[in-house]
Amino acid sequence: MTEIHKHGGDIYRHKNVLDFSSNCNPYGTPEGVKKAGAAAMELVCHYPDVECEGLRRALAEAEGVPIKSIICGNGAADLIFGLALALKPGKALLPAPTFAEYEQALRACGCETEYYFLSEEEGFCPGEGFLDHIGKDTDMVFFCNPNNPTGVAVEPEYLKKLAHCCRETETFLVLDECFEDFLEEPQKYSMKRYLKEYPQMFLLKAFTKKYAMAGIRLGYGFCGNPQILEKMKEVMQPWNVSVVAQEAGMAALKEETYVKESMKKIRKEREILLEGMKKLGFFTFASEANYIFFKGPEDLQEKCLEKGIYIRDCSNYRGLKKGYYRVAVRTGEENEELLKVFKQILEQNR
């Protein structure tokens, strides 16, 4: 497998394992979403709505964003590639480590990429140093909050500084908010209320993690400049969001109780898992998402697989090496099993 395509959730090459490598909601896809997807099979003889009108209308209502500012795609990755292809930046800035698809999309359109390496000593926080690297020659910046794989979130004040800095240098800002829903107060961190103020900003969102819908492939984005969205549509394939995905997405937006309850449980379980890992002696970082980033023995992934546990080896992230890992926060019972396996491995290593 190509190194850049190595992600969590590869259950096809790691069968019959308890999967801690993928960061989807551990409480499973809501029943209403499954039913809507199944019912949509009656419509698959037709082309999907190329405008995703019903879904965009539902998103506009749920997110409080004008429908003209919304675009949908075949997962967030589809929109990342669509943006890069539409805007064709000459030079871009990325923090490292961060989500690999940004770099892949930029490379696909021939863009020169500069990296700002986040420091472990500073807890992988970007700080003022990252802002200082945005110059007049920077055409595009990708920024993930909370970051993947570190789970570190920057405060809303920093996001405003970042957006302001990009506006001053005429740099297009892509803010990935896919993991924001797992924060204590997600609305506080979202930049969607500043879409008019920063028309050269694109916010990336997805149904993948929040609703455990990774296999459906459904992402969406916001931009205060409709011309940017038109440029994206010109380079993206038509009918990129299937009938099943559109119907499942509209059903997911009605699952308010599921979201509220599952997010509350995940935040509680994260603290318990974090505490358990610290007690075992793991060096953990300040993750605020639904996953924990940590350091461990270089053979930890292999040892876990032998015991039926699949964790994410983060050594293929730019800026990281062997010994860095990420584990998703799962249910209480599953997290206990993970801690038990970790304890066994550490004892064997001693």
Side-chain angles (χ1 to χ4, degrees), residues 314-347:
C314 294
S315 60
N316 72 320
Y317 279 89
R318 189 177 288 278
L320 295 179
K321 57 186 179 183
K322 277 299 247 183
Y324 289 90
Y325 301 95
R326 191 192 68 199
V327 288
V329 176
R330 296 195 59 82
T331 65
E333 199 178 317
E334 290 168 327
N335 295 337
E336 274 178 37
E337 182 63 25
L338 175 71
L339 290 171
K340 191 173 91 180
V341 165
F342 276 168
K343 190 179 179 190
Q344 287 169 2
I345 292 168
L346 292 175
E347 282 171 356

Side-chain angles (χ1 to χ4, degrees), residues 41-278:
M41 290 304 291
E42 295 298 324
L43 302 168
V44 295
C45 55
H46 304 291
Y47 280 99
D49 175 7
V50 76
E51 295 291 330
C52 295
E53 197 175 337
L55 177 57
R56 283 168 56 239
R57 202 176 297 286
L59 280 166
E61 192 177 325
E63 296 271 12
V65 170
I67 191 169
K68 66 179 182 185
S69 300
I70 303 173
I71 189 170
C72 297
N74 186 245
D78 186 31
L79 298 167
I80 292 167
F81 277 80
L83 256 176
L85 198 55
L87 300 183
K88 289 192 174 64
K91 187 180 177 185
L93 175 67
L94 294 180
T98 197
F99 190 50
E101 257 73 1
Y102 312 147
E103 180 183 345
Q104 196 186 353
L106 292 166
R107 192 188 296 157
C109 69
C111 178
E112 178 198 338
T113 309
E114 184 188 354
Y115 306 96
Y116 179 80
F117 288 93
L118 303 173
S119 152
E120 182 179 325
E121 290 69 35
E122 291 170 11
F124 291 101
C125 293
E128 296 296 318
F130 182 73
L131 303 179
D132 293 340
H133 270 70
I134 303 167
K136 285 281 185 186
D137 61 340
T138 314
D139 299 312
M140 187 177 273
V141 166
F142 275 93
F143 193 86
C144 186
N145 195 50
N147 191 23
N148 179 8
T150 64
V152 173
V154 298
E155 288 302 309
E157 295 73 30
Y158 184 89
L159 294 171
K160 278 292 294 283
K161 267 190 195 178
L162 173 60
H164 181 75
C165 189
C166 286
R167 186 172 62 188
E168 291 295 294
T169 54
E170 297 180 349
T171 302
F172 194 89
L173 173 62
V174 187
L175 263 182
D176 187 338
E177 297 187 343
C178 287
F179 287 105
E180 200 180 68
D181 297 301
F182 298 96
L183 295 173
E184 199 74 49
E185 297 175 78
Q187 293 303 328
K188 189 176 100 172
Y189 290 83
S190 181
M191 289 289 284
K192 63 186 178 185
R193 57 190 175 280
Y194 302 111
L195 290 172
K196 269 188 185 173
E197 201 175 325
Y198 301 105
Q200 292 297 100
M201 176 176 73
F202 186 93
L203 304 184
L204 192 64
K205 304 272 284 182
F207 286 81
T208 308
K209 315 295 182 186
K210 185 176 176 179
Y211 300 102
M213 286 167 61
I216 284 179
R217 309 308 306 135
L218 184 57
Y220 59 102
F222 307 141
C223 185
N225 183 347
Q227 288 172 304
I228 299 287
L229 303 186
E230 285 308 312
K231 277 186 181 179
M232 287 175 71
K233 286 175 195 169
E234 283 169 19
V235 298
M236 290 166 75
Q237 59 163 321
W239 308 300
N240 58 337
V241 184
S242 72
V243 170
V244 173
Q246 290 187 41
E247 291 295 324
M250 286 187 277
L253 293 170
K254 294 172 185 168
E255 296 283 346
E256 290 176 21
T257 305
Y258 162 89
V259 170
K260 194 177 173 184
E261 289 179 359
S262 63
M263 294 299 145
K264 192 177 171 185
K265 283 190 276 191
I266 290 166
R267 284 193 285 269
K268 183 186 168 191
E269 290 300 337
R270 183 186 65 212
E271 295 313 309
I272 297 168
L273 181 57
L274 198 54
E275 195 55 40
M277 287 175 69
K278 283 178 183 173

